[in-house]
Amino acid sequence: RKKDTVFGEIYVVDISTGKSFILPRKNNPQNLVFRPHGIDLVKNISGDIWLYCVSHNDKMKEHSVIIYKVFSDHLDFQQKLDNPLLVSPNDVAATPTGEFFVTNDAGKRNSNMEHLFGLAHANVVMYVENNFMKNPNTGDWEKKPVWQVAAHKLNYANGVAVGKFSQIYVSTVMGNELNSYKLNIKGNGFEKKKVIVKLKGLDNISFLNKNEILVTSHPSLIKFLKHVKNARNKSPSVVYKVNLESGKVETVFSDDGGKISASSTAVLFNGKLYISQVFDGFILECK
């Protein structure tokens, strides 16, 4: 919230003890501004674990994807990637081979007009690291990183996840849709979207298995906006289980905001459900 002190770090939570600690970030470029938002954790083809972070520098109007190599006691800076297409990035999902996808939740950062009138100006941006392109001067084929918009005309795109067979899943908060896209064979964008299910106020996505996901929801956007302004205003939280093939939906958690407000991510581990939230500083553990 605007009145809150800026923090900007990555925490590790030990769920066996409930203890948490900051994971130090090493070898950062000088004057790096780190304001993490959406994240993804990926084991790449070399077997290393990389953390992809959407990061905002609103003062400089710069938005980035920052990549760290993960160690047990620290994060090692690898790369900071910027592009004009990252106008209002929200979430990121990466593949083991280095491609990643970023949701822009608006066509213009903090656009009240888009949110007020429900304008579908959000999109999904795709980054391909090893795309082969012919050099027009030499005629040689060269590896060249490519950024491009892969999906258009979404209404507040939020969560993004990479599934089996190059399927990309995208949730929309105000579009009230969970969408599926097939990455085309040439790797240069998405094929036509498929609406898996319509649900209100969808947020982040996590996989239960190859065919099922958990997705959180803000069922009342009015109460959510009041919660944005003041923590005393409670915002309902819902977690859905969705079958990606049949579209069948099951509500696995629902709360009026008394236990947790504005749930943002849900993860199932060892028979327990862990739910995080947009603003307040705790994770809820449920049997």
Side-chain angles (χ1 to χ4, degrees), residues 3 6 27 33 66 96 168 192 216 233 249:
K3 65 181 178 63
V6 173
N27 299 315
V33 173
I66 299 176
I168 315 299
K192 187 177 180 180
T216 52
N233 300 324
V249 178

Side-chain angles (χ1 to χ4, degrees), residues 126 131 183-189:
M126 175 182 175
N131 196 64
L183 188 65
N184 68 28
I185 297 173
K186 294 180 180 179
N188 58 353

Side-chain angles (χ1 to χ4, degrees), residues 44-64:
N44 64 21
I45 55 177
S46 300
D48 297 323
I49 298 176
W50 281 18
L51 180 70
Y52 289 74
C53 307
V54 167
S55 181
H56 301 288
N57 185 348
D58 282 301
K59 185 176 181 180
M60 300 300 294
K61 295 183 178 180
E62 178 185 85
H63 307 284
S64 312

Side-chain angles (χ1 to χ4, degrees), residues 109 167 242:
R109 180 80 169 154
Q167 291 289 138
V242 180

